[in-house]
């Protein structure tokens, strides 16, 4: 992979084999909001690999280190996102969050047949102890790992190693989501963006920036409280 594309694949130590889920046509698809990132150099053969999460019809959230080239030199790279049920969209513009490995991606056209994930309005702290969550990425095909354990660490989340095996991510999963799964009709709630090394920034900390960027388009993310208590261990 060329030097300018190395930031696109952030290594996370330890991983489980990807779990690719297939769903019959016409049925609601779990984790349809999980997106695959593919960044193509307009001059040359470099390809950046990563993940993203749909948070409204025209917006996705990902990692800043994936989107930095697209944001700063838009014509140097062409980005495509692939969501569930074969949905493909381009990225017209990337916005980089100050102080966090978070980026917002404006899509080339709205995605209307995939339900977006909600964003977590709760800023998780030590009072939430260690809590369960699901690791979601489509960087190498849909991979979901339930039963992960997380705890708050300053502005981010630290993903504790499970009892068996290491952390589930690997190079190319950056930009995916740490989510709280909920039964339909409630949406899954994304509380952190996968960065690497078992860590990721909390979206709740940067809510004002996210809302300010998105409001120019007339769309809003849905913000929901964390569906966990403060006494979980």
């Amino acid at each position: 992979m060329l030097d300018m594309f190395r930031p696109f694949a952030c290594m996370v130590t330890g991983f489980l084999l990807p779990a690719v889920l297939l769903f019959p046509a016409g049925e609601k698809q779990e984790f349809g909001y999980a997106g695959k990132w593919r960044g193509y150099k307009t001059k040359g053969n470099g390809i950046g690999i990563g993940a993203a999460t749909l948070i409204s019809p025209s917006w996705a959230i990902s990692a800043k280190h994936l989107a930095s080239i697209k944001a700063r030199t838009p014509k140097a790279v062409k980005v495509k996102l692939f969501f569930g049920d074969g949905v493909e969209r381009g990225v017209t513009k990337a916005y980089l969050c100050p102080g966090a490995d978070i980026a917002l991606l404006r899509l080339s056209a709205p995605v209307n047949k995939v339900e977006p994930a909600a964003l977590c309005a709760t800023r998780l702290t030590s009072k939430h102890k260690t809590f369960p969550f699901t690791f979601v990425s489509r960087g190498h095909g849909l991979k979901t790992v339930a039963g992960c354990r997380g705890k708050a660490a300053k502005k981010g989340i630290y993903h504790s190693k499970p009892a068996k095996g290491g952390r589930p991510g690997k190079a190319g999963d950056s930009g995916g989501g740490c989510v709280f799964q909920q039964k339909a009709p409630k949406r899954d709630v994304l509380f952190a963006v996968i960065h690497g090394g078992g860590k990721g920034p909390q979206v709740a900390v940067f809510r004002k920036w996210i809302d300010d960027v998105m409001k120019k388009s007339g769309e809003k993310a849905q913000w929901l409280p964390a569906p966990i208590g403060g006494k979980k261990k």
Side-chain angles (χ1 to χ4, degrees):
M1 187 176 292
L2 298 183
D3 286 346
M4 70 178 291
F5 278 75
R6 284 176 183 165
F8 285 162
C10 183
M11 179 63 71
V12 185
T13 57
F15 62 94
L16 300 179
L17 292 176
V20 180
L21 306 181
L22 301 178
F23 299 85
E27 291 189 11
K28 183 177 179 180
Q29 187 182 68
E30 272 194 307
F31 309 111
Y33 54 76
K36 176 192 299 185
W37 165 293
R38 291 294 181 270
Y40 304 89
K41 286 185 64 176
T42 54
K43 296 181 180 180
N45 298 317
I47 298 177
I49 298 173
T53 302
L54 188 72
I55 57 172
S56 82
S58 301
W59 291 89
I61 195 166
S62 187
K64 179 194 288 187
H65 69 265
L66 285 175
S68 59
I69 297 176
K70 180 64 177 177
R72 292 166 182 157
T73 54
K75 295 183 180 180
V77 60
K78 181 179 181 181
V79 177
K80 292 183 180 180
L81 299 181
F82 303 85
F83 299 99
D85 204 21
V87 175
E88 176 184 336
R89 292 290 185 274
V91 173
T92 59
K93 192 169 182 178
Y95 299 80
L96 307 181
C97 180
D101 192 12
I102 292 175
L104 287 176
L105 311 174
R106 182 71 186 270
L107 307 185
S108 58
V111 176
N112 295 314
K113 64 177 184 177
V114 175
E115 183 176 72
L119 296 181
C120 183
T122 306
R123 183 167 178 171
L124 301 167
T125 66
S126 58
K127 74 177 183 180
H128 295 95
K129 307 296 182 182
T130 300
F131 50 84
F133 71 92
T134 299
F135 176 103
V136 182
S137 172
R138 200 183 289 272
H140 298 280
L142 181 59
K143 180 200 311 181
T144 64
V145 184
C148 297
R149 308 295 297 181
K151 58 183 179 181
K154 294 183 179 180
K155 294 181 180 180
I157 295 295
Y158 174 76
H159 174 200
S160 302
K161 290 184 179 180
K164 295 182 180 180
R167 299 186 182 104
K170 66 176 182 177
D173 286 326
S174 293
C178 299
V179 306
F180 298 119
Q181 283 185 262
Q182 299 201 99
K183 293 182 179 180
K186 294 182 179 179
R187 294 185 183 182
D188 290 355
V189 180
L190 180 144
F191 63 88
V193 176
I194 297 168
H195 164 72
K199 296 182 180 180
Q202 292 192 57
V203 293
V205 177
F206 303 96
R207 178 172 180 172
K208 184 179 185 305
W209 177 81
I210 292 170
D211 287 343
D212 285 348
V213 172
M214 293 183 64
K215 71 181 180 183
K216 300 173 184 178
S217 70
E219 292 184 12
K220 298 179 180 180
Q222 182 181 25
W223 292 89
L224 297 176
I228 58 174
K231 297 182 180 181
K232 293 187 180 292
K233 296 182 179 180

